[in-house]
Amino acid sequence: MCGYKESKQEQKTREQQESGFTLEARKNKAIGYMNKYSILSTGSVFNNSFSNFETKTKDEKSAFDKAKLVAKKMAQEPTHCLMVGATGRGKTHLATAMMYEIQRQTDYGKKVLFFSFPALINDTKKGMNLPDVRKQVDESMNQLKHADLLIIDDLGAERESEFTLAIIDDIMQYGEDSSMILTTNLTGDELAQKYGDRFLSRLKKAGAGNSISFSRIADHRG
């Protein structure tokens, strides 16, 4: 019985198409997860990428290059990155860009959570009176144990209290063995003073050599 046998080129083309469909499905799933469980101050943060980050100065180029280097490392192993600098220097932009690059390098195989820390604190407080908000926050926090990459944006902008300290302690407990990117306007010593030595110890666990300073970069917002 004679049947059709596809050529090697046809087989290669078919496999490439199937691979493309699978990659697109993984991408959609990864982005859907991120959108569902992240807690943001503004949705526009997800428009940031390496391709639209401007490197007009040597210091901006240095931060850009370091972010790419750390993203490559994060794609291979759990890594902690601390991004330090004043408001408007591009920390959030590069943190988001790193997230997309890590997903690209791992074929969208990572579960990513993005938490604006002030928004998380605000929503947690709202949830005390609004059941729907509380449900969303609880669902997002429950995903910490499953996340491969956690981004905590604008840490330190909130007012210090036992309430906020308990939340950051929960986050760090789960994030300790995963990849984390933290953006803050506080120095390492100030972070230790505000959140305690245990916080800094957990951050340093996989953070040696991965910090990025924005101290010499001008305010991009004005």
Side-chain angles (χ1 to χ4, degrees), residues 24-113:
E24 188 65 23
R26 283 203 299 269
K27 180 178 180 180
N28 291 336
K29 184 178 180 179
I31 292 176
Y33 178 92
M34 183 175 67
N35 286 332
K36 181 177 181 179
Y37 294 114
S38 292
I39 298 178
L40 310 173
S41 57
T42 170
S44 63
V45 68
F46 286 155
N47 295 331
N48 298 325
S49 67
F50 280 131
S51 63
N52 57 23
F53 184 81
E54 295 185 352
T55 54
K56 295 180 180 179
T57 69
K58 180 180 68 174
D59 295 308
E60 289 170 343
K61 181 66 164 58
S62 177
F64 178 89
D65 290 343
K66 184 69 176 289
K68 278 203 160 186
L69 188 67
V70 176
K72 183 177 180 180
K73 186 176 180 180
M74 280 187 173
Q76 299 168 351
E77 61 186 17
T79 304
H80 297 164
C81 176
L82 182 65
M83 305 177 116
V84 181
T87 301
R89 267 56 178 181
K91 302 186 302 296
T92 302
H93 191 135
L94 283 182
T96 313
M98 289 170 68
M99 172 190 73
Y100 284 126
E101 181 64 14
I102 292 162
Q103 289 287 41
R104 186 189 68 79
Q105 291 189 25
T106 59
D107 289 339
Y108 295 89
K110 301 291 187 183
K111 289 183 176 179
V112 177
L113 293 177

Side-chain angles (χ1 to χ4, degrees), residues 117-118 121 125 154-165 194-195:
F117 197 62
I121 297 301
K125 290 178 179 179
D154 213 8
L155 183 67
E158 79 292 344
R159 181 175 296 178
E160 183 179 347
S161 67
E162 291 298 322
F163 176 76
T164 59
L165 291 176
K194 185 164 187 173
Y195 301 114

Side-chain angles (χ1 to χ4, degrees), residues 65 114 152 189:
D65 290 343
F114 190 113
I152 304 298
D189 289 342

Side-chain angles (χ1 to χ4, degrees), residues 105-179:
Q105 291 189 25
T106 59
D107 289 339
Y108 295 89
K110 301 291 187 183
K111 289 183 176 179
V112 177
L113 293 177
F114 190 113
F115 287 170
S116 162
F117 197 62
L120 172 61
I121 297 301
N122 188 49
D123 284 359
T124 303
K125 290 178 179 179
K126 282 183 180 179
M128 295 175 181
N129 298 309
L130 299 173
D132 288 347
V133 176
R134 179 175 181 175
K135 180 181 178 182
Q136 175 62 51
V137 171
D138 287 346
E139 288 179 350
S140 295
M141 291 294 286
N142 285 337
Q143 290 301 314
L144 285 171
K145 62 177 72 74
H146 305 298
D148 302 298
L149 170 61
L150 175 62
I151 300 175
I152 304 298
D153 190 40
D154 213 8
L155 183 67
E158 79 292 344
R159 181 175 296 178
E160 183 179 347
S161 67
E162 291 298 322
F163 176 76
T164 59
L165 291 176
I167 291 176
I168 194 61
D169 191 58
D170 285 345
I171 290 173
M172 295 302 294
Q173 180 180 351
Y174 286 111
E176 184 175 1
D177 296 318
S178 304
S179 286

Side-chain angles (χ1 to χ4, degrees), residues 198-210:
R198 183 169 60 175
F199 166 87
L200 207 58
S201 176
R202 285 171 168 168
L203 185 60
K204 288 179 177 179
K205 184 175 180 179
N210 302 321

